Amino acid sequence: MNRLTSIAAAAVLLAAPMTVVANASSAAPRGTTAPVASTTAAKPAADTLATQRVAEDATPEAGGKTAAASTGPVIGLSGRGFGHGRGMSQWGARGAASQGRTVAQILDFYYPGTTSASIGNPQVRVRLSALGTSATSVYDEAGLTLTDGTCTAALTQPGATEWRVQPLSGGKWNVQSYYPNVNGFVGWWNYPTTCPGFGTAADLTFVGDGSIGSSVLSVRTPSGKRQYRGGIRAAQDNRPGLVGFTATINVVLMDSYLRSVVPAEMPASWGLEAVKAQAVAARTYAAARLGSPYTSDICDTTSCQVYPGLTSANPEHPNSDAAVAGTSGQIRKYGTTIANTEFSSTNGGQIVGSGVAYQVAKADPYDGVFVDAPDTWTYLTMPVSAITDNWSSIGQFVSMSIGRDGKGAFFGGRADTIVLNGTATSVAVGAETFRTRLNLRSTYLIPLGSSVGTDFASNAFSDLIARDSSGVLWNYPTDGRGGWLARTPITSGHPAVPEILAPGDFSGDGIPDLLRRSTTGTLTLDRGTGTGTIASSSTVGSGWQSFTAVIAPGDLDGDGNVDLLGRDATGTLWLYPSTGTGSWKSRVSKGAGWGGLRELEAIGDFDGDGGTDLMAKSDAGALFLLRFSKTGAYLGAKTIGSGFATYSGFTGLGDVDGDGAVDLVAKDSAGALWAYRGTGTGGFATRLKIGSGWSTLTFGS
């Protein structure tokens, strides 16, 4: 099961399969393989430019290839949920309980069509993973016995501190105790018993006081002593691949087992009805596995249910004990069959359906009740090498495409199939396999462009949105290595739009959107599909014609929602904080004196302090870094370059070349496109030419 204590996140998915078209115009920008030979300064001196052009023009411009960065590109992800999302959401159960729902109502919602039944308090055989296949040993205590099920022997060796069942060849056992013998030598010594069948028994079980129900035993593990209720059994393992090895099994009554499981799976301090729901779900999950043909019914890890015994960071708790006792024997059945009551930490607001009748795909209104639930997550630095390490046959990773189930309010649904496209081949991977292999939080996710860049095409890297002279809007997907994938048309009919912005997810469905400002001041939202096209358009504002620049900085104020910045005719810069659902809160002034700046653009965290920065140039060509804090406070400006007077079309695409630092992209007077590569600490490394033929295309403010 995936639960509150489950795995951390990382890696990448894309949206639905993307249709790629070839460049339709000979004037379309092209990539280049040639890095430039400039200094680390950001000053493009004329003589240096001439030398660079000569060297680069001799190199074929084979779009999409460039010199690889030393650290390799990274991928950003935004996701919802924590775990597989099937069955009960633990945070959802908490939310439902906080709204007055009873344990029965919670279970009815998460396992629809199931009914309550009772199984009493049977024994459960739990395989203790910490002991591996080593001998089964327990510490000595008063009343300790050993039984094969037909004969019971008291273990009473004077001076003994430990006892073990040692496996011998041929499936036999040897009982030993650890004590100083008559000569004072301390060690393991054979212990003869009065039970003749011990040597060849199928299994032998230590019991503390003759009763499984009241026994508590201490077991030696590689990480130290651990205590368990019930008996400790040595058995000949019969699982595939482990036949003939020793399995150490805790034989324990169901309710005693649950007293450890429930607080390990869900905080015991939560509302009692939620903890009761966890108790019934965990009991049912275990009950469905009783009578396994193997030596154990269930394991003690997240692969089954977490069962730490009595020695735990989440020990037995009065509230969870009350939940177990208050639901004693209760399970859930579908018809006459015990239900498979899976659960996970959160489902991100959408329960995952399956072929099982009581696992129904539907919205979950309880999952997001508590704001501290881990129901959303973002990871911006997943190395592409994590993909190629797992699927090396694809060669160098190029892009991905996702098949989705179409269910849920975000991303167009959860991923179900992922196609990994590489230089050698493409491989189709099941989304759950992809999640597990790469240790991801969920399959309910979408890729993000790095930093301020927007991955409008969902190829896992930032894209550049540009308009040609005829008014066609194009998406230029980058490849994360300083090159480009094939451009795709987005829409047409926008020859005189002052700004076309890529703010990220403005509408609140998790998919990147576009914003257009018309000459009459109308602001139009173009909702993205996650595949590089527009789903629908709607007006979201008016009166924006008075602004001399509108900028999409991403999340400037750190509240988790994308924002807009507008500079008015007086030179005052205004922050328009987004609500995250397609509208704005009250605007906030960021001060006056911004009127003398040109090409004002968001660049991302250029100086490495965690804030989202802006860049701009003066009429004289000086380049300025305009710094903001993590919460959007303006920290001041500093000059970081000169000689940019003839450059236009500035934009921030995040990490263009895959070295982990955000970059500035600018177009020179000849139509060449340059990546001024950031160092991550506020300076520039050697710049990189990333295209030519951009003279007729417009981007940026």
Side-chain angles (χ1 to χ4, degrees):
M1 305 295 288
N2 290 297
R3 73 269 309 135
L4 299 168
T5 57
S6 189
I7 55 178
V12 56
L13 298 174
L14 278 150
M18 178 179 67
T19 301
V20 178
V21 299
N23 289 340
S25 168
S26 60
R30 300 181 297 277
T32 178
T33 59
V36 302
S38 69
T39 67
T40 58
K43 183 177 180 178
D47 56 344
T48 307
L49 286 172
T51 303
Q52 290 163 350
R53 290 194 189 103
V54 169
E56 288 156 354
D57 289 345
T59 304
E61 294 182 339
K65 294 183 68 178
T66 188
S70 59
T71 58
V74 297
I75 291 168
L77 289 175
S78 174
R80 299 187 64 85
F82 199 161
H84 51 63
R86 297 185 296 274
M88 187 177 73
S89 160
Q90 294 167 310
W91 279 88
R94 185 190 185 193
S98 73
Q99 296 183 356
R101 303 298 187 270
T102 65
V103 57
Q105 290 171 324
I106 295 170
L107 295 170
D108 285 344
F109 175 78
Y110 285 111
Y111 309 108
T114 64
T115 57
S116 182
S118 179
I119 60 164
N121 193 22
Q123 290 183 2
V124 185
R125 299 172 300 164
V126 188
R127 191 178 195 280
L128 302 181
S129 58
L131 277 76
T133 59
S134 61
T136 300
S137 64
V138 301
Y139 287 90
D140 185 69
E141 62 177 63
L144 184 66
T145 62
L146 186 67
T147 181
D148 62 2
T150 59
C151 182
T152 299
L155 304 179
T156 58
Q157 175 62 50
T161 57
E162 286 186 68
W163 296 82
R164 74 180 182 187
V165 173
Q166 179 75 11
L168 302 175
S169 61
K172 297 181 180 180
W173 302 110
N174 189 23
V175 181
Q176 297 180 325
S177 59
Y178 190 79
Y179 69 97
N181 68 3
V182 293
N183 297 316
F185 294 107
V186 179
W188 288 103
W189 307 100
N190 292 338
Y191 182 82
T193 73
T194 57
C195 295
F198 274 14
T200 57
D203 52 66
L204 295 175
T205 305
F206 293 102
V207 181
D209 58 4
S211 168
I212 291 289
S214 57
S215 173
V216 175
L217 292 175
S218 297
V219 178
R220 178 188 293 276
T221 76
S223 59
K225 182 187 294 187
R226 300 183 72 167
Q227 287 187 310
Y228 295 91
R229 295 187 183 278
I232 300 297
R233 174 175 295 170
Q236 299 288 344
D237 209 329
N238 62 350
R239 293 178 305 155
L242 291 173
V243 174
F245 288 95
T246 301
T248 298
I249 312 297
N250 183 199
V251 183
V252 58
L253 294 179
M254 177 70 80
D255 283 358
S256 295
Y257 164 74
L258 294 175
R259 289 178 66 184
S260 173
V261 168
V262 173
E265 291 284 4
M266 174 183 283
S269 60
W270 284 5
L272 183 59
E273 295 303 297
V275 184
K276 283 182 177 179
Q278 179 66 70
V280 175
R283 182 183 291 109
T284 306
Y285 186 86
R289 289 152 179 79
L290 294 180
S292 165
Y294 299 121
T295 53
S296 58
D297 299 311
I298 199 167
C299 67
D300 61 353
T301 69
T302 55
S303 296
C304 303
Q305 296 184 134
V306 177
Y307 173 66
L310 293 175
T311 306
S312 168
N314 300 289
E316 295 177 355
H317 188 280
N319 199 49
S320 51
D321 283 352
V324 172
T327 62
S328 184
Q330 291 182 32
I331 61 167
R332 282 274 162 158
K333 283 189 173 183
Y334 186 78
T336 59
T337 304
I338 297 175
N340 184 28
T341 50
E342 293 182 286
F343 51 86
S344 59
S345 177
T346 86
N347 55 38
Q350 178 70 23
I351 301 172
V352 177
S354 73
V356 180
Y358 48 85
Q359 289 185 346
V360 178
K362 60 181 179 180
D364 184 350
Y366 307 118
D367 189 78
V369 169
F370 287 90
V371 296
D372 55 336
D375 56 346
T376 61
W377 50 273
T378 301
Y379 189 74
L380 293 177
T381 55
M382 162 66 192
V384 165
S385 59
I387 298 172
T388 53
D389 286 349
N390 280 278
W391 292 278
S392 59
S393 64
I394 69 171
Q396 179 177 281
F397 172 79
V398 174
S399 66
M400 304 169 66
S401 59
I402 292 181
R404 297 185 179 273
D405 63 11
K407 297 173 182 177
F410 298 91
F411 315 139
R414 287 178 182 263
D416 47 31
T417 303
I418 302 166
V419 178
L420 306 175
N421 302 306
T423 53
T425 189
S426 296
V427 174
V429 180
E432 190 63 27
T433 298
F434 191 81
R435 178 183 83 89
T436 303
R437 190 84 64 87
L438 294 178
N439 210 24
L440 305 181
R441 284 196 173 191
S442 71
T443 60
Y444 201 12
L445 51 77
I446 195 169
L448 292 175
S450 60
S451 189
V452 297
T454 293
D455 185 12
F456 192 67
S458 293
N459 75 312
F461 302 112
S462 296
D463 306 330
L464 190 152
I465 310 298
R467 183 183 69 249
D468 67 19
S469 57
S470 68
V472 176
L473 197 62
W474 294 91
N475 186 61
Y476 286 87
T478 65
D479 68 356
R481 301 172 179 87
W484 305 90
L485 303 181
R487 70 173 185 172
T488 60
I490 300 173
T491 185
S492 60
H494 305 294
V497 179
E499 275 120 0
I500 298 174
L501 306 173
D505 173 29
F506 181 76
S507 60
D509 62 1
I511 300 172
D513 305 311
L514 301 181
L515 286 168
R516 288 181 282 120
R517 180 170 71 115
S518 72
T519 54
T520 60
T522 298
L523 201 61
T524 301
L525 169 66
D526 293 321
R527 296 186 62 170
T529 61
T531 61
T533 58
I534 294 171
S536 62
S537 300
S538 60
T539 299
V540 293
S542 60
W544 289 74
Q545 70 273 19
S546 62
F547 287 99
T548 58
V550 180
I551 306 112
D555 180 15
L556 187 76
D557 58 6
D559 67 352
N561 302 317
V562 298
D563 306 313
L564 283 190
L565 288 166
R567 182 183 61 189
D568 66 22
T570 70
T572 300
L573 189 67
W574 296 91
L575 171 66
Y576 285 80
S578 169
T579 62
T581 56
S583 60
W584 288 280
K585 307 170 191 175
S586 298
R587 70 178 187 172
V588 179
S589 173
K590 291 300 172 183
W594 296 78
L597 298 172
R598 304 290 177 262
E599 306 293 345
L600 185 60
E601 287 294 328
I603 187 66
D605 182 15
F606 189 73
D607 57 4
D609 67 351
T612 294
D613 305 319
L614 306 182
M615 279 193 185
K617 67 173 185 175
S618 67
D619 287 334
L623 188 66
F624 299 101
L625 176 66
L626 308 156
R627 301 175 58 242
F628 287 81
S629 73
K630 295 179 182 179
T631 57
Y634 180 52
L635 303 178
K638 66 177 182 178
T639 304
I640 58 172
S642 61
F644 283 86
T646 61
Y647 277 58
S648 62
F650 284 59
T651 190
L653 281 181
D655 180 14
V656 173
D657 59 351
D659 67 353
V662 300
D663 308 312
L664 173 67
V665 173
K667 179 176 62 174
D668 68 19
S669 58
L673 204 62
W674 298 91
Y676 280 85
R677 303 168 56 236
T679 61
T681 57
F684 288 104
T686 305
R687 69 174 185 168
L688 178 70
K689 186 179 179 182
I690 58 173
S692 60
W694 287 77
S695 296
T696 61
L697 287 113
T698 302
F699 59 89
S701 295

